[in-house]
Amino acid sequence: MEIVVLIKPIPEAESRLRATPDGRGPEPEGIKFVLAGYDESAVEQALLLKESLPGSSVHAVSFGPARCEETLRAAIALGADRATWVEGPPEGSDDPVLAARALAATLQTVPHDLVLGGKQAGDDEEGIVPGAIAELLGIPSFGYVTDLRSSGPSGLTFLRPTEAGVEQWEAPLPCVVGLQQAWNDPRSAKLPNILKSRKAPILKVDWPTTSTALALEAKPRSIGEKFELPAPRTGAKMIEFKTPEEAAEKLVRLLREEAKVFP
Amino acid sequence: MTPTVLVLAETSGGLLTGPTKEAIGVARTLAGSDGSVAAVTMGGPSALEALASFGLKEVWMADVPPEAATSGAVAALAAHAADESRAALVLLGGTTFGRDVTGRLAVRWGAAAATGVTEVAITGPEEVHVRRPVYGGRATESRRLVGPRTVIALRPHAFAEAAASAGTPTVHALDRSVIPVTEGAARRRSLAPAEPGSGPSLSDATIVVSGGRGMRAAENFHLIEELAQSLGAAVGASRAVTDAGWRPTSFQVGQTGRAVSPQLYIAVGISGAIQHVVGMVSSRTIVAINTDPSAPIFKVADYGLVGDALTILPALTREVRKVRGLPAN
Amino acid sequence: MPDFSLTPEQESLRDAARKFARAEMAPKAAECDKTARFPEEIYRKAWELGLMNLNVPTEYGGSGLGALEQCLIVEELAYACGGMTTSIIANCLALEPILLGGTAEQKSRWLTPFCAEYHLASFCLTEPGGGSDAAGLQTRARKDGDGYVLSGEKCFITNGPHASLFTVFATLDPSLRSKGIAAFIVPGDAPGIVRGKDEDKMGHRASSTSTIRFEGVRIPSTQRLGSEQDGFSIAMRTLDQTRTPIGALATGIAQAALDHSARYSLERKSFGKAIAEHQAIQIKLANMAQAVHAARLLTWHAAWSIDHGHPSTLESSIAKCFASDAALRVADEAIQIFGGYGYMRDYPVEKLMRDAKLTQIYEGSNEIQRIVTARELLRQYG
Ligand SMILES: Cc1cc2nc3c(=O)[nH]c(=O)nc-3n(C[C@H](O)[C@H](O)[C@H](O)COP(=O)(O)OP(=O)(O)OC[C@H]3O[C@@H](n4cnc5c(N)ncnc54)[C@H](O)[C@@H]3O)c2cc1C
Ligand SMILES: Cc1cc2nc3c(=O)[nH]c(=O)nc-3n(C[C@H](O)[C@H](O)[C@H](O)COP(=O)(O)OP(=O)(O)OC[C@H]3O[C@@H](n4cnc5c(N)ncnc54)[C@H](O)[C@@H]3O)c2cc1C
């Protein structure tokens, strides 16, 4: 099985986020970008499938600025066989549909039975890219997948936890799968493999090349306007009430409508 | 400009799901008095009745069994309905299904897209502004979506549900031949209904309810657990609780316990000692319930309730169950 | 100008060690310290990732890293737990004599199968009668046909209870002192090896330490490293290599103490403000930061000298001695900044102080390091 795994460098968990001076997006300067979260699970899943199906290969593909290279090397150190960096637009648009177009254009030129991604990127959390790629390639896609297994050379089975319960699916190849995080325990790279990964070749697809494939729609349609960090806490908003019922009703309303954290 | 806003409606047991009702509510606001709200459903005739009770003028309907409702099939039908209804905006509920369809629909229909949206406004003829939390809730971004078509998946529970309002929609049947043949081979084999009661672990939970010495006795701690269960939350505790043996040390949050940073942390009967606070202060929203108005926990909390936990908790659990549509117990 | 930037290789090795240290070691550090548990599952995983036999060339199955890379890794590991780090890097110490004194045949015979699986090795130099005075060791090697018979006792042997391979220093003639010492490879299952009880230590409690008694252990001469007179030199050259990573281990402990202190000082309030706003605390933090930086740079410099094949006895002695003194001082100040909490076992800083203490004692006590430093120094004048 030719497995393509899509990865995106995201800030290390403990990074201190800041906005760029123009306030439109997150400041990449001074941030360490890593292979993490959903994507790490996706690489692990790709490797597990490869190990269960002799003759399979794993190809890591990343779209974006130069920092993609480090993340791809991390995937190689973990066991990916090949890596491709699809260079992002110089102006740094972060429209996920545009990213999907660039990736799909690249995927058309490489073998792929299964395209794996995280269910969403750990930074923008859009979750748009896997489905958009599938639509562009004209193949089925499934998000929020867990327990992905191969069922022979041309099919997959997997589970999908939804609001209604856990669904069990069978799907044909080729297809795109977005994985839920942390159902597997991603492995760590061995030091000798880390050293080898430094010397591994990384195929670079230049931006102008991808953009020609993108001629139809090279313009971003989703544009970051403002990036805000929560204001430091200034003390609680005290909720006045006469009865416990009133307290409960007011709190639930605030959590739903103001804080927007009600499940 | 009279925008048509199309809602991708989901039903469960013949009723509209909560997220769909939220999407209808948002659609009504966006359409305003001169726009209109339409719906597209895969639920067949059974969904029709549910949609009729929400005053929708037009409904595009296909009957796709859940076993075959892949995101590709749904996106194809929804894009078709969006064209037919001349919609400018398609709204989806923040469910697994809704978010899964968004990317495909955006490409199929040639639209700009965003997911996890908590605020949305039409700001120009071909311009929509959205706000959405990013980086696990550590930041918020505003985005401008441009072009004649936009697809938006809402964040669940970020908006109020629409109220029912009677009406008789015009029904249009959707032609299933728009579904790509490649979608035919995928099949849902089974659905195991969600099990109640198996809560998340303390470190993974998006909501944590913690109790402190203010719970007064081990016998009262079940009130914390019941609230947690109603919210799908994990249970935590202060060291006063674990030291007293009311709960094992694995429940302890704080400097010598576990550090957590959920979306919502509810501290009940916890004074807010620094050793506790360092373990939970990075939570997105913090609620404190305490009898003492000068308790330091109120300095780090977002919402405070001064009162007796033993009476507030049962009322809060009842309210949460009611709002979430869970059976009272 | 010297270049202090790390190569991408070095950075990714350091990141991998950091990830392992924080994900695997740190969560268990307090528990293992409290109960003196030897966390075999962590050591096994460290071996799987190649964090164990850092100095062994890749052709024998090790990670084949230079001194600077070793230091970067050891500092990260020690940041999470000094004791676990001592046990993880004990293989480097125990195998170095084979790397320095072994023939190609001895290396492939002993290192290759050892590195291919999870195994621990121990370096056996110190004896109950003396550690600093290594030339005066009393464990005897008697010639016996085509081999030797070892008898005597070694003490404070890291990983002693678990090792499957020992490198042992023994004398053929105590009156010859350093000239009479030979080095031997001894498999852990050789008849006549008696392992003592696991010592109850002040710090590094996740590591285990015991006596090893040799009761007539027969060794073929093919297991002797170098000539019958080479043992002392092999031991000293080994310590020249491994002292520098001990400086890195101490730096890791010191960095952890500094990080804990700076964070706590911003949270803890007294007299209406964060204690970080009191100048007395700021001065402490500044002194601690100076010590950590100096320790790291001295360690990197010594490692750089080793990697460039320069004589480095002076540099490595200075680095080990300075970094370990700094670690104890910084950990001590960390406790002071934490006040009463710092003195409590529930808080992480008192462990740092106990762990830091050992770095002044083992792999050549700091008194010995100063003697070496002065000797090397005065040689340049006299
Ligand atoms: C070395 C050390 C390490 C520590 N590590 C931790 C740690 O990791 N985690 C931790 O939590 N603590 C830790 N502590 C303990 C910490 O200092 C506090 O003692 C502890 O957090 C207090 O727990 P509490 O808030 O539940 O109890 P209290 O401080 O006793 O507070 C109880 C609160 O409940 C309120 N209350 C009383 N009755 C009611 C009622 N009916 N309804 C509502 N509110 C009510 C009271 O007003 C009060 O504010 C540590 C302490 C030390 C010395
Ligand atoms: C946890 C732990 C793990 C260890 N692991 C190992 C191991 O794996 N393998 C191994 O071989 N050894 C190991 N050691 C032993 C360690 O290297 C020795 O303890 C150390 O070399 C000091 O020797 P000693 O304890 O015999 O002290 P002594 O040599 O008796 O010294 C006592 C004191 O006198 C000082 N002193 C000695 N001679 C002089 C002098 N000439 N001038 C001034 N001061 C002097 C010393 O610095 C020290 O302060 C370990 C020790 C510990 C505690």
Side-chain angles (χ1 to χ4, degrees):
Chain A
M1 193 189 301
E2 301 281 351
I3 306 164
V4 170
V5 54
L6 304 174
I7 57 180
K8 176 177 181 181
I10 62 165
E12 225 177 4
E14 54 265 33
S15 314
R16 272 165 176 267
L17 299 173
R18 286 178 295 140
T20 48
D22 67 5
R24 286 173 180 274
E27 173 63 70
E29 195 57 40
I31 299 271
K32 188 170 177 80
F33 287 85
V34 293
L35 172 70
Y38 303 110
D39 287 352
E40 214 178 9
S41 299
V43 172
E44 177 65 23
Q45 176 66 74
L47 296 171
L48 290 174
L49 279 174
K50 172 183 148 173
E51 286 156 7
S52 74
L53 282 174
S56 301
S57 79
V58 173
H59 183 178
V61 179
S62 188
F63 168 75
R67 57 175 172 263
C68 289
E69 198 190 315
E70 276 304 306
T71 317
L72 288 168
R73 292 206 188 278
I76 293 174
L78 288 168
D81 302 283
R82 276 185 300 150
T84 299
W85 167 31
V86 184
E87 194 184 13
E91 70 275 21
S93 156
D94 56 357
D95 181 346
V97 177
L98 207 64
R101 286 184 185 278
L103 286 165
T106 307
L107 288 179
Q108 271 162 352
T109 67
V110 302
H112 58 272
D113 297 312
L114 171 64
V115 180
L116 274 178
K119 75 162 185 191
Q120 63 191 31
D123 51 357
D124 63 30
E125 300 180 354
E126 290 273 23
I128 285 174
V129 170
I133 287 178
E135 190 66 37
L136 289 160
L137 296 175
I139 59 179
S141 62
F142 307 90
Y144 302 83
V145 163
T146 71
D147 202 13
L148 180 65
R149 287 163 206 263
S150 130
S151 60
S154 57
L156 296 169
T157 64
F158 55 83
L159 301 179
R160 218 150 79 109
T162 68
E163 292 75 6
V166 179
E167 303 177 342
Q168 198 202 337
W169 282 81
E170 268 171 28
L173 293 174
C175 70
V176 178
V177 166
L179 287 167
Q180 186 75 271
Q181 187 182 18
W183 66 273
N184 59 25
D185 181 14
R187 68 192 69 186
S188 301
K190 300 184 195 320
L191 298 197
N193 295 344
I194 292 175
L195 291 174
K196 267 187 240 149
S197 77
R198 303 300 330 174
K199 299 192 180 74
I202 288 184
L203 182 72
K204 185 178 165 207
V205 179
D206 295 328
W207 172 245
T209 319
T210 42
S211 76
T212 29
L214 290 173
L216 270 177
E217 185 168 4
K219 264 206 347 249
R221 310 248 316 250
S222 167
I223 301 135
E225 294 273 277
K226 202 164 175 193
F227 184 82
E228 293 164 283
L229 296 165
R233 296 179 202 278
T234 51
K237 177 187 251 189
M238 302 308 287
I239 300 170
E240 304 292 331
F241 58 90
K242 298 223 161 53
T243 62
E245 287 69 29
E246 189 189 350
E249 189 263 322
K250 281 185 164 168
L251 176 62
V252 168
R253 184 149 30 83
L254 286 166
L255 293 180
R256 277 167 65 92
E257 293 171 14
E258 191 175 86
K260 302 193 199 288
V261 291
F262 197 77
Chain B
M1 245 291 284
T2 56
T4 294
V5 181
L6 181 72
V7 173
L8 176 61
E10 285 179 76
T11 53
S12 161
L15 298 172
L16 293 187
T17 62
T20 295
K21 288 188 245 176
E22 291 164 12
I24 293 175
V26 173
R28 280 186 193 160
T29 313
L30 292 174
S33 50
D34 51 351
S36 66
V37 179
V40 52
T41 172
M42 308 296 133
S46 72
L48 212 52
E49 203 177 325
L51 286 164
S53 59
F54 279 84
L56 295 151
K57 298 244 166 13
E58 291 190 279
V59 173
W60 272 263
M61 189 179 80
D63 196 353
V64 183
E67 291 73 24
T70 59
S71 56
V74 174
L77 290 162
H80 190 46
D83 282 337
E84 301 242 308
S85 62
R86 300 184 187 286
L89 176 62
V90 177
L91 285 182
L92 300 92
T95 56
T96 308
F97 175 82
R99 297 194 51 175
D100 205 14
V101 170
T102 307
R104 293 200 78 118
L105 179 54
V107 167
R108 181 117 191 152
W109 193 41
T115 58
V117 166
T118 56
E119 283 173 41
V120 51
I122 297 175
T123 47
E126 293 199 350
E127 189 184 80
V128 175
H129 268 87
V130 294
R131 255 168 77 86
R132 48 194 303 279
V134 288
Y135 292 94
R138 286 157 70 206
T140 308
E141 66 168 13
S142 305
R143 300 190 78 80
R144 184 161 56 95
L145 306 177
V146 294
R149 291 183 278 275
T150 306
V151 179
I152 289 174
L154 303 175
R155 191 178 175 88
H157 313 295
F159 299 91
E161 289 178 7
S165 85
T168 316
T170 314
V171 180
H172 310 269
L174 284 169
D175 181 358
R176 284 183 57 177
S177 70
V178 298
I179 300 175
V181 287
T182 45
E183 296 296 323
R187 265 278 168 287
R188 193 186 81 180
R189 284 295 166 208
S190 65
L191 170 70
E195 254 178 68
S198 49
S201 76
L202 197 49
S203 356
D204 299 339
T206 51
I207 303 182
V208 174
V209 183
S210 281
R213 197 189 331 258
M215 292 307 294
R216 299 291 168 89
E219 302 84 83
N220 298 327
F221 216 76
H222 68 96
L223 296 174
I224 297 284
E225 271 137 14
E226 282 156 19
L227 177 60
Q229 204 191 345
S230 73
L231 287 163
V235 174
S238 73
R239 175 151 151 187
V241 166
T242 55
D243 276 357
W246 298 357
R247 284 299 175 272
T249 47
S250 58
F251 283 61
Q252 186 176 317
V253 172
Q255 189 133 31
T256 47
R258 214 175 282 269
V260 299
S261 55
Q263 296 281 311
L264 174 60
Y265 188 91
I266 304 183
V268 187
I270 291 176
S271 59
I274 176 78
Q275 297 83 9
H276 185 80
V277 166
V278 295
M280 44 68 84
V281 69
S282 58
S283 307
R284 176 149 172 242
T285 298
I286 297 171
V287 172
I289 303 176
N290 198 303
T291 43
D292 173 7
S294 63
I297 190 75
F298 288 126
K299 295 218 168 60
V300 295
D302 299 282
Y303 299 106
L305 292 163
V306 177
D308 182 359
L310 306 185
T311 62
I312 295 174
L313 282 177
L316 189 52
T317 304
R318 276 196 302 276
E319 178 72 11
V320 169
R321 299 192 76 88
K322 189 176 96 196
V323 170
R324 297 194 70 196
L326 303 169
N329 65 346
Chain C
M1 264 299 282
D3 180 359
F4 291 104
S5 56
L6 299 176
T7 65
E9 281 83 354
Q10 289 164 340
E11 275 190 34
S12 50
L13 291 171
R14 185 191 58 190
D15 291 351
R18 176 175 298 176
K19 195 168 165 196
F20 177 79
R22 306 211 176 165
E24 307 288 339
M25 295 166 64
K28 292 185 177 163
E31 175 243 319
C32 291
D33 178 57
K34 221 161 253 161
T35 60
R37 184 172 76 84
F38 186 78
E40 191 113 34
E41 75 284 3
I42 291 179
Y43 303 145
R44 195 173 281 280
K45 200 148 185 190
W47 168 78
E48 279 168 17
L49 297 187
L51 289 164
M52 212 157 226
N53 303 312
L54 297 173
N55 56 344
V56 177
T58 49
E59 52 182 310
Y60 303 116
S63 296
L65 300 181
L68 183 54
E69 286 81 10
Q70 291 181 44
C71 285
L72 295 170
I73 290 169
V74 169
E75 182 183 332
E76 292 300 334
L77 301 182
Y79 185 93
C81 181
M84 293 180 198
T85 309
T86 287
S87 270
I88 289 172
I89 64 172
N91 278 10
C92 297
L93 172 65
L95 302 179
E96 188 67 35
I98 305 179
L99 296 173
L100 291 172
T103 60
E105 204 183 327
Q106 282 173 322
K107 288 181 196 171
S108 55
R109 161 74 183 83
W110 294 100
L111 295 175
T112 306
F114 180 90
C115 294
E117 283 173 53
Y118 165 72
H119 283 298
L120 299 175
S122 292
F123 176 81
C124 300
L125 178 66
T126 306
E127 298 183 354
S132 304
D133 182 11
L137 63 82
Q138 296 296 318
T139 296
R140 294 295 295 265
R142 285 195 184 79
K143 272 201 98 85
D144 176 47
D146 177 37
Y148 302 86
V149 173
L150 300 186
S151 44
E153 187 172 41
K154 298 289 179 178
C155 69
F156 304 143
I157 302 308
T158 297
N159 291 351
H162 308 275
S164 50
L165 192 72
F166 296 98
T167 44
V168 182
F169 298 85
T171 177
L172 285 139
D173 179 355
S175 69
L176 294 176
R177 289 188 51 88
S178 63
K179 300 276 179 297
I181 295 173
F184 300 94
I185 302 171
V186 181
D189 57 3
I193 291 182
V194 181
R195 302 171 198 239
K197 75 163 179 62
D198 208 336
E199 305 288 354
D200 187 10
K201 301 188 295 298
M202 171 187 182
H204 292 239
R205 292 170 59 80
S207 175
S208 76
T209 317
S210 74
T211 57
I212 302 290
R213 259 213 335 280
F214 299 90
E215 295 183 350
V217 177
R218 262 203 59 89
I219 301 295
S221 54
T222 51
Q223 284 165 229
R224 192 190 67 225
L225 294 164
S227 76
E228 286 186 347
Q229 289 80 43
D230 283 349
F232 187 77
S233 148
I234 290 174
M236 293 305 116
R237 285 188 290 138
T238 292
L239 294 171
D240 273 351
Q241 298 288 319
T242 58
R243 249 193 318 264
T244 306
I246 298 300
L249 192 153
T251 307
I253 295 174
Q255 181 71 56
L258 174 60
D259 285 359
H260 282 298
S261 304
R263 269 188 226 119
Y264 187 79
S265 72
L266 290 166
E267 284 156 12
R268 180 71 179 181
K269 303 218 163 33
S270 80
F271 298 93
K273 50 186 177 182
I275 60 171
E277 291 176 46
H278 300 303
Q279 201 177 47
I281 299 293
Q282 292 176 2
I283 288 170
K284 281 191 198 301
L285 290 169
N287 288 340
M288 292 160 81
Q290 288 171 5
V292 172
H293 275 242
R296 181 174 299 120
L297 287 181
L298 284 171
T299 307
W300 284 16
H301 179 238
W304 176 89
S305 300
I306 294 170
D307 287 337
H308 284 75
H310 300 319
S312 45
T313 304
L314 177 74
E315 286 74 10
S316 63
S317 271
I318 290 178
K320 187 267 180 185
C321 185
F322 184 91
S324 55
D325 285 351
L328 186 65
R329 209 162 62 236
V330 171
D332 179 13
E333 285 291 44
I335 296 175
Q336 196 66 21
I337 288 175
F338 271 70
Y341 299 95
Y343 200 66
M344 299 297 126
R345 291 248 159 144
D346 281 330
Y347 278 73
V349 284
E350 61 82 37
K351 170 182 187 286
L352 297 176
M353 185 173 175
R354 290 184 283 112
D355 286 352
K357 183 63 211 176
L358 178 62
T359 62
Q360 294 182 316
I361 298 172
Y362 69 175
E363 305 240 359
S365 73
N366 280 6
E367 288 70 27
I368 298 300
Q369 303 308 331
R370 287 188 166 87
I371 291 170
V372 171
T373 303
R375 187 187 65 212
E376 296 289 316
L377 177 80
L378 292 171
R379 184 176 291 164
Q380 296 169 11
Y381 294 86

